Amino acid sequence: MLAVEKSLRALLVQGTQDGTLGPGSKLPTERDLVEQLSAPRSAIRRALDVLERDGVVIRHVGRGTFLTEAGLPPADGAPPDTSPAEIMQVRLLLEPPVAELAARVATQADLDRIAACLGGGEGSESFEDFEAWDGRLHRAIALAVHNGLLISMFDVMNTARSLPVWGSLKRRTSSPDRRRRYHDEHTAIVEALRDRDPLGARDSMRRHLQNVSDNLLGRH
């Protein structure tokens, strides 16, 4: 993550925790952010581009930049002893119906953001880059349902993916061929979303997550 983007995210988290920022709150101007973060204006704009793509903020020409409900951090993270098996159980329960709903209600902007994440994953050459785009893709699909409570639940689940046990297992079971297969599965999900095919999106997501689970946990 770029240093300016990380600093900006930290600023937003601090604002939501101290009560100065909430859903729909207007962010400081670019000029103010330049002063607060001691960063060039071009870097601030790039960081805002990333936050907008991730659904954390929304920008309106002539009005400013505003925090979305999805930009609020979850109240609590996943317990530190959460196992990979537990993570995959919850993902299999939650994400297929989320994809089904996203196929019904996603806007074109949502679909464009999802497609950008898919493209980022396709162009990734390292494990770290692919994992980052993988997480963004799945979160972009969840954002497309436009439900703040659901996003909070999703983010609690997603914090488990940052636990050391998850990262080490993913790294051990990762390979270029497997990442290509995962990208093909992601593509099938995104195509179903574009086609407004709820059942296709649900089933494609379920197949993908089942494959991830089998690969991680050694079930074939």
Side-chain angles (χ1 to χ4, degrees):
M1 184 184 297
L2 296 175
V4 175
E5 180 193 341
K6 186 175 182 179
S7 297
L8 183 52
R9 287 181 186 271
L11 186 68
L12 298 184
V13 169
Q14 180 182 348
T16 59
Q17 290 176 343
D18 64 22
T20 58
L21 288 176
S25 293
K26 186 175 181 179
L27 271 61
T29 64
E30 289 183 2
R31 179 179 298 176
D32 290 337
L33 289 173
V34 166
E35 295 180 359
Q36 290 182 43
L37 301 179
S38 300
R41 194 160 190 165
S42 59
I44 295 293
R45 286 177 175 170
R46 285 195 298 270
L48 288 171
D49 285 342
V50 173
L51 294 184
E52 184 175 34
R53 184 188 63 209
D54 289 349
V56 174
V57 301
I58 185 169
R59 289 188 280 185
H60 297 288
V61 177
R63 292 177 52 204
T65 303
F66 300 84
L67 185 68
T68 69
E69 286 189 5
L72 298 176
D76 296 291
D81 58 349
T82 301
S83 71
E86 290 175 322
I87 296 171
M88 291 312 306
Q89 285 175 350
V90 175
R91 294 190 70 188
L92 278 161
L93 284 171
L94 183 64
E95 293 195 58
V98 167
E100 179 179 357
L101 181 56
R104 301 181 190 276
V105 303
T107 65
Q108 187 58 51
D110 294 326
L111 295 175
D112 290 344
R113 181 166 59 241
I114 291 167
C117 294
L118 179 68
E122 183 179 23
S124 298
E125 297 182 357
S126 69
F127 165 81
E128 291 80 7
D129 285 348
F130 185 83
E131 280 297 294
W133 282 112
D134 179 278
R136 286 176 174 173
L137 173 68
H138 284 269
R139 192 173 191 272
I141 294 171
L143 285 171
V145 306
H146 301 277
N147 184 309
L149 177 59
L150 176 63
I151 290 298
S152 295
M153 295 169 60
F154 187 91
D155 282 345
V156 169
M157 176 194 71
N158 228 22
T159 58
R161 297 179 65 178
S162 65
L163 297 175
V165 65
W166 172 269
S168 61
L169 183 57
K170 282 299 292 286
R171 184 180 291 276
R172 274 201 317 272
T173 58
S174 179
S175 70
D177 285 344
R178 186 159 285 171
R179 290 196 294 271
R180 281 193 290 271
R181 287 197 296 272
Y182 287 165
H183 174 72
D184 290 342
E185 293 167 4
H186 286 161
T187 300
I189 296 167
V190 174
E191 288 179 349
L193 293 172
R194 285 171 171 163
D195 291 342
R196 302 293 183 179
D197 178 2
L199 297 184
R202 181 197 65 190
D203 293 344
S204 294
M205 179 66 80
R206 181 179 292 115
R207 282 193 296 271
H208 167 57
L209 293 177
Q210 190 62 62
N211 286 339
V212 172
S213 180
D214 290 346
N215 291 331
L216 285 176
L217 305 177
R219 298 167 185 165
H220 300 287

